[in-house]
Amino acid sequence: MNIVLMGCPGAGKGTQSAKLQQKFDLQHISTGEVLRKEIASGSELGKQIAGIINNGNLVPDEMIASMLENKVKNTEKGIIFDGFPRTVAQARVLDEMMKRLGRDLTHVVMIDLPEGEVINRICSRRQCKKCGAILHVDIKAPLANCPVCEGELYTRADDTPQSAKHRLEVYHRDTLPVKNYYLNSGKYVEVKGDQTPEQVFEDIVKVLEKVK
Ligand code: AMP
């Protein structure tokens, strides 16, 4: 099983990827996480990347493509691509790469979230530094610690209202066309994103079984 998980910013791709990884023993490849690790390393490349991400723009396709191939080569497991492809050019690169590596995409799952929910979701998102859990807090009374492991919670640098708004515009311009790219592939399915994470997960598992 090799899955592309699509959805606008804040749709719940990270949360659902973690659940899928656990249930099906998949390799989770999140391009956003890879980029954030590069930023955290303090490298020159990381500084360039931070400038792009924190303004809500996309990192150039070539940079993403070269990062990704090693990750795919290094695993025998099925893969969840989280946050990739984000452009039609990236979707083509993924097709070529999978073919070259003798693998095949099996599912493209779109988590469909109504626009009105997006900015609130992004601005209330926190992640745990220790266990990586993603949660949504009451903005008027935000939590400081993770309810799962007590680790310190942080807000992603790109989860500001201004950046979130721009990311949504970029999503419409560059990423939604990827949906059309996959629409008639026989692999494309949609689930409703405005449900509890458990309900969304249940729906994803159902559609994964439908497309074989
Ligand atoms: P995410 O963690 O998926 O929300 O990604 C956070 C940010 O990383 C995005 O807003 C982009 O700036 C950048 N990013 C992640 N994945 C990609 C990608 N496939 N192509 C270009 N930029 C990306």
PDB file of all heavy atoms in Angstrom, residues 9-10 13 30-33 35-36 49 52-54 56-61 64 82-87 90 125 156 158 167, ligand 1:
ATOM      1  N   PRO A   9      -4.193  22.944   4.140  1.00  0.00           N
ATOM      2  CA  PRO A   9      -3.518  23.089   5.427  1.00  0.00           C
ATOM      3  C   PRO A   9      -4.527  22.920   6.559  1.00  0.00           C
ATOM      4  O   PRO A   9      -5.642  23.444   6.481  1.00  0.00           O
ATOM      5  CB  PRO A   9      -2.992  24.539   5.391  1.00  0.00           C
ATOM      6  CG  PRO A   9      -2.968  24.923   3.952  1.00  0.00           C
ATOM      7  CD  PRO A   9      -4.021  24.118   3.260  1.00  0.00           C
ATOM      8  N   GLY A  10      -4.165  22.171   7.578  1.00  0.00           N
ATOM      9  CA  GLY A  10      -5.050  21.999   8.732  1.00  0.00           C
ATOM     10  C   GLY A  10      -6.102  20.911   8.548  1.00  0.00           C
ATOM     11  O   GLY A  10      -6.921  20.685   9.439  1.00  0.00           O
ATOM     12  N   LYS A  13      -3.876  15.949   7.923  1.00  0.00           N
ATOM     13  CA  LYS A  13      -3.013  14.963   7.250  1.00  0.00           C
ATOM     14  C   LYS A  13      -2.020  14.336   8.232  1.00  0.00           C
ATOM     15  O   LYS A  13      -1.813  13.129   8.218  1.00  0.00           O
ATOM     16  CB  LYS A  13      -2.242  15.613   6.090  1.00  0.00           C
ATOM     17  CG  LYS A  13      -3.132  16.185   5.005  1.00  0.00           C
ATOM     18  CD  LYS A  13      -2.329  16.730   3.827  1.00  0.00           C
ATOM     19  CE  LYS A  13      -1.480  17.951   4.136  1.00  0.00           C
ATOM     20  NZ  LYS A  13      -2.229  19.174   4.481  1.00  0.00           N
ATOM     21  N   SER A  30       6.648  12.755   5.681  1.00  0.00           N
ATOM     22  CA  SER A  30       6.034  14.081   5.682  1.00  0.00           C
ATOM     23  C   SER A  30       7.079  15.077   5.198  1.00  0.00           C
ATOM     24  O   SER A  30       8.098  15.283   5.875  1.00  0.00           O
ATOM     25  CB  SER A  30       5.582  14.441   7.108  1.00  0.00           C
ATOM     26  OG  SER A  30       5.510  15.833   7.256  1.00  0.00           O
ATOM     27  N   THR A  31       6.841  15.677   4.038  1.00  0.00           N
ATOM     28  CA  THR A  31       7.830  16.631   3.518  1.00  0.00           C
ATOM     29  C   THR A  31       7.947  17.836   4.462  1.00  0.00           C
ATOM     30  O   THR A  31       9.030  18.356   4.671  1.00  0.00           O
ATOM     31  CB  THR A  31       7.478  17.076   2.079  1.00  0.00           C
ATOM     32  OG1 THR A  31       6.074  17.300   2.000  1.00  0.00           O
ATOM     33  CG2 THR A  31       7.880  16.054   1.077  1.00  0.00           C
ATOM     34  N   GLY A  32       6.831  18.231   5.070  1.00  0.00           N
ATOM     35  CA  GLY A  32       6.870  19.348   6.031  1.00  0.00           C
ATOM     36  C   GLY A  32       7.796  19.030   7.206  1.00  0.00           C
ATOM     37  O   GLY A  32       8.606  19.865   7.620  1.00  0.00           O
ATOM     38  N   GLU A  33       7.705  17.789   7.724  1.00  0.00           N
ATOM     39  CA  GLU A  33       8.560  17.389   8.860  1.00  0.00           C
ATOM     40  C   GLU A  33      10.031  17.380   8.448  1.00  0.00           C
ATOM     41  O   GLU A  33      10.904  17.814   9.200  1.00  0.00           O
ATOM     42  CB  GLU A  33       8.179  15.979   9.355  1.00  0.00           C
ATOM     43  CG  GLU A  33       7.049  15.930  10.362  1.00  0.00           C
ATOM     44  CD  GLU A  33       7.277  16.799  11.598  1.00  0.00           C
ATOM     45  OE1 GLU A  33       8.420  16.854  12.100  1.00  0.00           O
ATOM     46  OE2 GLU A  33       6.320  17.450  12.032  1.00  0.00           O
ATOM     47  N   LEU A  35      11.411  19.142   6.186  1.00  0.00           N
ATOM     48  CA  LEU A  35      11.868  20.533   6.055  1.00  0.00           C
ATOM     49  C   LEU A  35      12.071  21.170   7.436  1.00  0.00           C
ATOM     50  O   LEU A  35      13.039  21.897   7.669  1.00  0.00           O
ATOM     51  CB  LEU A  35      10.850  21.342   5.240  1.00  0.00           C
ATOM     52  CG  LEU A  35      10.711  20.920   3.765  1.00  0.00           C
ATOM     53  CD1 LEU A  35       9.475  21.550   3.129  1.00  0.00           C
ATOM     54  CD2 LEU A  35      11.951  21.305   2.974  1.00  0.00           C
ATOM     55  N   ARG A  36      11.148  20.877   8.364  1.00  0.00           N
ATOM     56  CA  ARG A  36      11.295  21.457   9.722  1.00  0.00           C
ATOM     57  C   ARG A  36      12.546  20.921  10.414  1.00  0.00           C
ATOM     58  O   ARG A  36      13.197  21.636  11.167  1.00  0.00           O
ATOM     59  CB  ARG A  36      10.035  21.188  10.562  1.00  0.00           C
ATOM     60  CG  ARG A  36       8.884  22.132  10.208  1.00  0.00           C
ATOM     61  CD  ARG A  36       7.714  22.006  11.151  1.00  0.00           C
ATOM     62  NE  ARG A  36       6.938  20.811  10.939  1.00  0.00           N
ATOM     63  CZ  ARG A  36       6.018  20.667   9.980  1.00  0.00           C
ATOM     64  NH1 ARG A  36       5.750  21.644   9.162  1.00  0.00           N
ATOM     65  NH2 ARG A  36       5.362  19.528   9.849  1.00  0.00           N
ATOM     66  N   ILE A  49      15.124  27.679   3.875  1.00  0.00           N
ATOM     67  CA  ILE A  49      13.821  27.006   3.916  1.00  0.00           C
ATOM     68  C   ILE A  49      12.876  27.734   4.885  1.00  0.00           C
ATOM     69  O   ILE A  49      11.696  27.939   4.586  1.00  0.00           O
ATOM     70  CB  ILE A  49      13.982  25.519   4.309  1.00  0.00           C
ATOM     71  CG1 ILE A  49      14.701  24.763   3.196  1.00  0.00           C
ATOM     72  CG2 ILE A  49      12.642  24.869   4.612  1.00  0.00           C
ATOM     73  CD1 ILE A  49      15.061  23.325   3.540  1.00  0.00           C
ATOM     74  N   ILE A  52      11.117  30.614   3.451  1.00  0.00           N
ATOM     75  CA  ILE A  52      10.038  30.257   2.511  1.00  0.00           C
ATOM     76  C   ILE A  52       8.800  29.775   3.274  1.00  0.00           C
ATOM     77  O   ILE A  52       7.685  30.257   3.070  1.00  0.00           O
ATOM     78  CB  ILE A  52      10.521  29.142   1.544  1.00  0.00           C
ATOM     79  CG1 ILE A  52      11.722  29.626   0.725  1.00  0.00           C
ATOM     80  CG2 ILE A  52       9.382  28.689   0.639  1.00  0.00           C
ATOM     81  CD1 ILE A  52      12.404  28.544  -0.106  1.00  0.00           C
ATOM     82  N   ILE A  53       9.028  28.813   4.173  1.00  0.00           N
ATOM     83  CA  ILE A  53       7.898  28.179   4.871  1.00  0.00           C
ATOM     84  C   ILE A  53       7.152  29.173   5.756  1.00  0.00           C
ATOM     85  O   ILE A  53       5.924  29.206   5.784  1.00  0.00           O
ATOM     86  CB  ILE A  53       8.407  27.013   5.759  1.00  0.00           C
ATOM     87  CG1 ILE A  53       8.876  25.851   4.901  1.00  0.00           C
ATOM     88  CG2 ILE A  53       7.324  26.548   6.700  1.00  0.00           C
ATOM     89  CD1 ILE A  53       9.110  24.587   5.680  1.00  0.00           C
ATOM     90  N   ASN A  54       7.900  29.997   6.500  1.00  0.00           N
ATOM     91  CA  ASN A  54       7.238  30.869   7.474  1.00  0.00           C
ATOM     92  C   ASN A  54       6.377  31.935   6.805  1.00  0.00           C
ATOM     93  O   ASN A  54       5.471  32.478   7.417  1.00  0.00           O
ATOM     94  CB  ASN A  54       8.256  31.490   8.441  1.00  0.00           C
ATOM     95  CG  ASN A  54       8.888  30.419   9.299  1.00  0.00           C
ATOM     96  OD1 ASN A  54       8.413  29.278   9.326  1.00  0.00           O
ATOM     97  ND2 ASN A  54       9.972  30.756   9.984  1.00  0.00           N
ATOM     98  N   GLY A  56       4.587  31.081   4.264  1.00  0.00           N
ATOM     99  CA  GLY A  56       3.462  30.314   3.707  1.00  0.00           C
ATOM    100  C   GLY A  56       3.634  29.926   2.253  1.00  0.00           C
ATOM    101  O   GLY A  56       2.666  29.548   1.598  1.00  0.00           O
ATOM    102  N   ASN A  57       4.885  30.027   1.742  1.00  0.00           N
ATOM    103  CA  ASN A  57       5.113  29.649   0.337  1.00  0.00           C
ATOM    104  C   ASN A  57       5.613  28.212   0.225  1.00  0.00           C
ATOM    105  O   ASN A  57       5.984  27.604   1.230  1.00  0.00           O
ATOM    106  CB  ASN A  57       6.142  30.602  -0.287  1.00  0.00           C
ATOM    107  CG  ASN A  57       5.541  31.984  -0.481  1.00  0.00           C
ATOM    108  OD1 ASN A  57       4.441  32.113  -1.008  1.00  0.00           O
ATOM    109  ND2 ASN A  57       6.239  33.005  -0.017  1.00  0.00           N
ATOM    110  N   LEU A  58       5.644  27.698  -0.999  1.00  0.00           N
ATOM    111  CA  LEU A  58       6.128  26.337  -1.220  1.00  0.00           C
ATOM    112  C   LEU A  58       7.626  26.353  -1.506  1.00  0.00           C
ATOM    113  O   LEU A  58       8.126  27.244  -2.196  1.00  0.00           O
ATOM    114  CB  LEU A  58       5.409  25.693  -2.410  1.00  0.00           C
ATOM    115  CG  LEU A  58       3.915  25.413  -2.257  1.00  0.00           C
ATOM    116  CD1 LEU A  58       3.383  24.718  -3.510  1.00  0.00           C
ATOM    117  CD2 LEU A  58       3.624  24.569  -1.024  1.00  0.00           C
ATOM    118  N   VAL A  59       8.308  25.341  -0.994  1.00  0.00           N
ATOM    119  CA  VAL A  59       9.723  25.140  -1.275  1.00  0.00           C
ATOM    120  C   VAL A  59       9.825  24.656  -2.730  1.00  0.00           C
ATOM    121  O   VAL A  59       8.939  23.927  -3.189  1.00  0.00           O
ATOM    122  CB  VAL A  59      10.261  24.093  -0.264  1.00  0.00           C
ATOM    123  CG1 VAL A  59      11.660  23.655  -0.588  1.00  0.00           C
ATOM    124  CG2 VAL A  59      10.162  24.644   1.155  1.00  0.00           C
ATOM    125  N   PRO A  60      10.889  25.063  -3.477  1.00  0.00           N
ATOM    126  CA  PRO A  60      10.966  24.683  -4.897  1.00  0.00           C
ATOM    127  C   PRO A  60      10.882  23.162  -5.116  1.00  0.00           C
ATOM    128  O   PRO A  60      11.422  22.379  -4.335  1.00  0.00           O
ATOM    129  CB  PRO A  60      12.337  25.207  -5.335  1.00  0.00           C
ATOM    130  CG  PRO A  60      12.671  26.273  -4.355  1.00  0.00           C
ATOM    131  CD  PRO A  60      12.001  25.922  -3.067  1.00  0.00           C
ATOM    132  N   ASP A  61      10.225  22.790  -6.215  1.00  0.00           N
ATOM    133  CA  ASP A  61       9.993  21.373  -6.532  1.00  0.00           C
ATOM    134  C   ASP A  61      11.294  20.557  -6.532  1.00  0.00           C
ATOM    135  O   ASP A  61      11.322  19.434  -6.024  1.00  0.00           O
ATOM    136  CB  ASP A  61       9.345  21.252  -7.926  1.00  0.00           C
ATOM    137  CG  ASP A  61       7.898  21.747  -7.917  1.00  0.00           C
ATOM    138  OD1 ASP A  61       7.277  21.750  -6.844  1.00  0.00           O
ATOM    139  OD2 ASP A  61       7.403  22.118  -8.998  1.00  0.00           O
ATOM    140  N   ILE A  64      12.516  19.484  -3.095  1.00  0.00           N
ATOM    141  CA  ILE A  64      11.670  18.454  -2.499  1.00  0.00           C
ATOM    142  C   ILE A  64      11.963  17.103  -3.150  1.00  0.00           C
ATOM    143  O   ILE A  64      12.101  16.082  -2.477  1.00  0.00           O
ATOM    144  CB  ILE A  64      10.174  18.800  -2.707  1.00  0.00           C
ATOM    145  CG1 ILE A  64       9.817  20.107  -2.017  1.00  0.00           C
ATOM    146  CG2 ILE A  64       9.263  17.681  -2.261  1.00  0.00           C
ATOM    147  CD1 ILE A  64       9.673  20.020  -0.533  1.00  0.00           C
ATOM    148  N   ASP A  82       2.761  12.375   2.988  1.00  0.00           N
ATOM    149  CA  ASP A  82       1.956  13.387   3.690  1.00  0.00           C
ATOM    150  C   ASP A  82       2.471  14.772   3.287  1.00  0.00           C
ATOM    151  O   ASP A  82       3.603  15.127   3.589  1.00  0.00           O
ATOM    152  CB  ASP A  82       2.107  13.109   5.200  1.00  0.00           C
ATOM    153  CG  ASP A  82       1.702  14.258   6.087  1.00  0.00           C
ATOM    154  OD1 ASP A  82       1.130  15.241   5.598  1.00  0.00           O
ATOM    155  OD2 ASP A  82       1.975  14.160   7.308  1.00  0.00           O
ATOM    156  N   GLY A  83       1.628  15.512   2.561  1.00  0.00           N
ATOM    157  CA  GLY A  83       2.056  16.866   2.141  1.00  0.00           C
ATOM    158  C   GLY A  83       2.841  16.853   0.846  1.00  0.00           C
ATOM    159  O   GLY A  83       3.474  17.835   0.485  1.00  0.00           O
ATOM    160  N   PHE A  84       2.817  15.751   0.135  1.00  0.00           N
ATOM    161  CA  PHE A  84       3.505  15.603  -1.142  1.00  0.00           C
ATOM    162  C   PHE A  84       2.686  14.669  -2.010  1.00  0.00           C
ATOM    163  O   PHE A  84       2.242  13.624  -1.516  1.00  0.00           O
ATOM    164  CB  PHE A  84       4.901  15.024  -0.924  1.00  0.00           C
ATOM    165  CG  PHE A  84       5.639  14.753  -2.210  1.00  0.00           C
ATOM    166  CD1 PHE A  84       6.407  15.739  -2.791  1.00  0.00           C
ATOM    167  CD2 PHE A  84       5.538  13.516  -2.844  1.00  0.00           C
ATOM    168  CE1 PHE A  84       7.064  15.499  -3.994  1.00  0.00           C
ATOM    169  CE2 PHE A  84       6.198  13.278  -4.040  1.00  0.00           C
ATOM    170  CZ  PHE A  84       6.969  14.270  -4.608  1.00  0.00           C
ATOM    171  N   PRO A  85       2.429  14.928  -3.276  1.00  0.00           N
ATOM    172  CA  PRO A  85       2.853  16.108  -4.034  1.00  0.00           C
ATOM    173  C   PRO A  85       1.960  17.320  -3.764  1.00  0.00           C
ATOM    174  O   PRO A  85       0.779  17.177  -3.510  1.00  0.00           O
ATOM    175  CB  PRO A  85       2.686  15.639  -5.488  1.00  0.00           C
ATOM    176  CG  PRO A  85       1.673  14.548  -5.440  1.00  0.00           C
ATOM    177  CD  PRO A  85       1.742  13.915  -4.109  1.00  0.00           C
ATOM    178  N   ARG A  86       2.576  18.482  -3.847  1.00  0.00           N
ATOM    179  CA  ARG A  86       1.822  19.722  -3.631  1.00  0.00           C
ATOM    180  C   ARG A  86       1.688  20.519  -4.921  1.00  0.00           C
ATOM    181  O   ARG A  86       1.080  21.590  -4.910  1.00  0.00           O
ATOM    182  CB  ARG A  86       2.542  20.569  -2.579  1.00  0.00           C
ATOM    183  CG  ARG A  86       1.913  20.452  -1.197  1.00  0.00           C
ATOM    184  CD  ARG A  86       2.657  21.407  -0.294  1.00  0.00           C
ATOM    185  NE  ARG A  86       1.961  21.773   0.894  1.00  0.00           N
ATOM    186  CZ  ARG A  86       2.060  21.161   2.064  1.00  0.00           C
ATOM    187  NH1 ARG A  86       2.764  20.070   2.184  1.00  0.00           N
ATOM    188  NH2 ARG A  86       1.439  21.635   3.124  1.00  0.00           N
ATOM    189  N   THR A  87       2.306  20.037  -5.988  1.00  0.00           N
ATOM    190  CA  THR A  87       2.146  20.668  -7.303  1.00  0.00           C
ATOM    191  C   THR A  87       2.022  19.540  -8.333  1.00  0.00           C
ATOM    192  O   THR A  87       2.428  18.400  -8.055  1.00  0.00           O
ATOM    193  CB  THR A  87       3.383  21.522  -7.690  1.00  0.00           C
ATOM    194  OG1 THR A  87       4.520  20.653  -7.783  1.00  0.00           O
ATOM    195  CG2 THR A  87       3.686  22.614  -6.684  1.00  0.00           C
ATOM    196  N   GLN A  90       5.312  18.019  -9.068  1.00  0.00           N
ATOM    197  CA  GLN A  90       5.727  17.037  -8.060  1.00  0.00           C
ATOM    198  C   GLN A  90       4.994  15.702  -8.276  1.00  0.00           C
ATOM    199  O   GLN A  90       5.558  14.627  -8.064  1.00  0.00           O
ATOM    200  CB  GLN A  90       5.461  17.549  -6.649  1.00  0.00           C
ATOM    201  CG  GLN A  90       6.371  18.696  -6.236  1.00  0.00           C
ATOM    202  CD  GLN A  90       6.122  19.155  -4.794  1.00  0.00           C
ATOM    203  OE1 GLN A  90       5.450  18.497  -4.021  1.00  0.00           O
ATOM    204  NE2 GLN A  90       6.694  20.304  -4.456  1.00  0.00           N
ATOM    205  N   ARG A 125      -3.731  24.950  16.430  1.00  0.00           N
ATOM    206  CA  ARG A 125      -2.925  23.716  16.393  1.00  0.00           C
ATOM    207  C   ARG A 125      -1.670  23.843  17.262  1.00  0.00           C
ATOM    208  O   ARG A 125      -0.980  24.849  17.248  1.00  0.00           O
ATOM    209  CB  ARG A 125      -2.509  23.429  14.954  1.00  0.00           C
ATOM    210  CG  ARG A 125      -1.573  22.230  14.826  1.00  0.00           C
ATOM    211  CD  ARG A 125      -1.520  21.694  13.445  1.00  0.00           C
ATOM    212  NE  ARG A 125      -1.053  22.638  12.446  1.00  0.00           N
ATOM    213  CZ  ARG A 125      -1.099  22.396  11.142  1.00  0.00           C
ATOM    214  NH1 ARG A 125      -1.604  21.269  10.692  1.00  0.00           N
ATOM    215  NH2 ARG A 125      -0.648  23.297  10.286  1.00  0.00           N
ATOM    216  N   ARG A 156       3.698  25.825  15.609  1.00  0.00           N
ATOM    217  CA  ARG A 156       4.571  25.903  14.436  1.00  0.00           C
ATOM    218  C   ARG A 156       4.741  27.357  13.998  1.00  0.00           C
ATOM    219  O   ARG A 156       3.793  28.130  14.035  1.00  0.00           O
ATOM    220  CB  ARG A 156       3.964  25.091  13.283  1.00  0.00           C
ATOM    221  CG  ARG A 156       4.343  23.642  13.337  1.00  0.00           C
ATOM    222  CD  ARG A 156       3.577  22.802  12.369  1.00  0.00           C
ATOM    223  NE  ARG A 156       3.439  23.370  11.031  1.00  0.00           N
ATOM    224  CZ  ARG A 156       2.897  22.712  10.002  1.00  0.00           C
ATOM    225  NH1 ARG A 156       2.441  21.489  10.170  1.00  0.00           N
ATOM    226  NH2 ARG A 156       2.806  23.282   8.816  1.00  0.00           N
ATOM    227  N   ASP A 158       4.866  28.597  11.203  1.00  0.00           N
ATOM    228  CA  ASP A 158       4.034  29.007  10.065  1.00  0.00           C
ATOM    229  C   ASP A 158       2.542  28.948  10.391  1.00  0.00           C
ATOM    230  O   ASP A 158       1.710  29.164   9.515  1.00  0.00           O
ATOM    231  CB  ASP A 158       4.348  28.167   8.805  1.00  0.00           C
ATOM    232  CG  ASP A 158       4.176  26.670   9.014  1.00  0.00           C
ATOM    233  OD1 ASP A 158       4.165  26.234  10.179  1.00  0.00           O
ATOM    234  OD2 ASP A 158       4.055  25.940   8.021  1.00  0.00           O
ATOM    235  N   ARG A 167      -1.181  30.359   2.863  1.00  0.00           N
ATOM    236  CA  ARG A 167      -1.044  28.930   2.527  1.00  0.00           C
ATOM    237  C   ARG A 167      -2.306  28.410   1.848  1.00  0.00           C
ATOM    238  O   ARG A 167      -2.244  27.568   0.968  1.00  0.00           O
ATOM    239  CB  ARG A 167      -0.745  28.114   3.793  1.00  0.00           C
ATOM    240  CG  ARG A 167       0.731  28.167   4.154  1.00  0.00           C
ATOM    241  CD  ARG A 167       0.965  27.918   5.608  1.00  0.00           C
ATOM    242  NE  ARG A 167       0.701  26.570   6.021  1.00  0.00           N
ATOM    243  CZ  ARG A 167       0.507  26.223   7.286  1.00  0.00           C
ATOM    244  NH1 ARG A 167       0.518  27.129   8.240  1.00  0.00           N
ATOM    245  NH2 ARG A 167       0.313  24.971   7.601  1.00  0.00           N
TER     246      ARG A 167
HETATM  247  P1  AMP B   1       3.084  20.747   6.174  1.00  0.00           P
HETATM  248  O1  AMP B   1       3.816  20.243   7.372  1.00  0.00           O
HETATM  249  O2  AMP B   1       2.749  19.643   5.213  1.00  0.00           O
HETATM  250  O3  AMP B   1       1.891  21.595   6.536  1.00  0.00           O
HETATM  251  O4  AMP B   1       4.090  21.694   5.391  1.00  0.00           O
HETATM  252  C1  AMP B   1       4.555  22.908   5.960  1.00  0.00           C
HETATM  253  C2  AMP B   1       5.197  23.769   4.902  1.00  0.00           C
HETATM  254  O5  AMP B   1       6.342  23.097   4.338  1.00  0.00           O
HETATM  255  C3  AMP B   1       4.323  24.101   3.700  1.00  0.00           C
HETATM  256  O6  AMP B   1       3.471  25.202   3.941  1.00  0.00           O
HETATM  257  C4  AMP B   1       5.390  24.403   2.645  1.00  0.00           C
HETATM  258  O7  AMP B   1       5.954  25.675   2.853  1.00  0.00           O
HETATM  259  C5  AMP B   1       6.467  23.378   2.959  1.00  0.00           C
HETATM  260  N1  AMP B   1       6.236  22.125   2.216  1.00  0.00           N
HETATM  261  C6  AMP B   1       5.840  20.919   2.732  1.00  0.00           C
HETATM  262  N2  AMP B   1       5.716  19.993   1.782  1.00  0.00           N
HETATM  263  C7  AMP B   1       6.024  20.604   0.619  1.00  0.00           C
HETATM  264  C8  AMP B   1       6.061  20.203  -0.744  1.00  0.00           C
HETATM  265  N3  AMP B   1       5.731  18.945  -1.110  1.00  0.00           N
HETATM  266  N4  AMP B   1       6.444  21.118  -1.688  1.00  0.00           N
HETATM  267  C9  AMP B   1       6.772  22.372  -1.347  1.00  0.00           C
HETATM  268  N5  AMP B   1       6.758  22.835  -0.091  1.00  0.00           N
HETATM  269  C10 AMP B   1       6.383  21.976   0.901  1.00  0.00           C
END
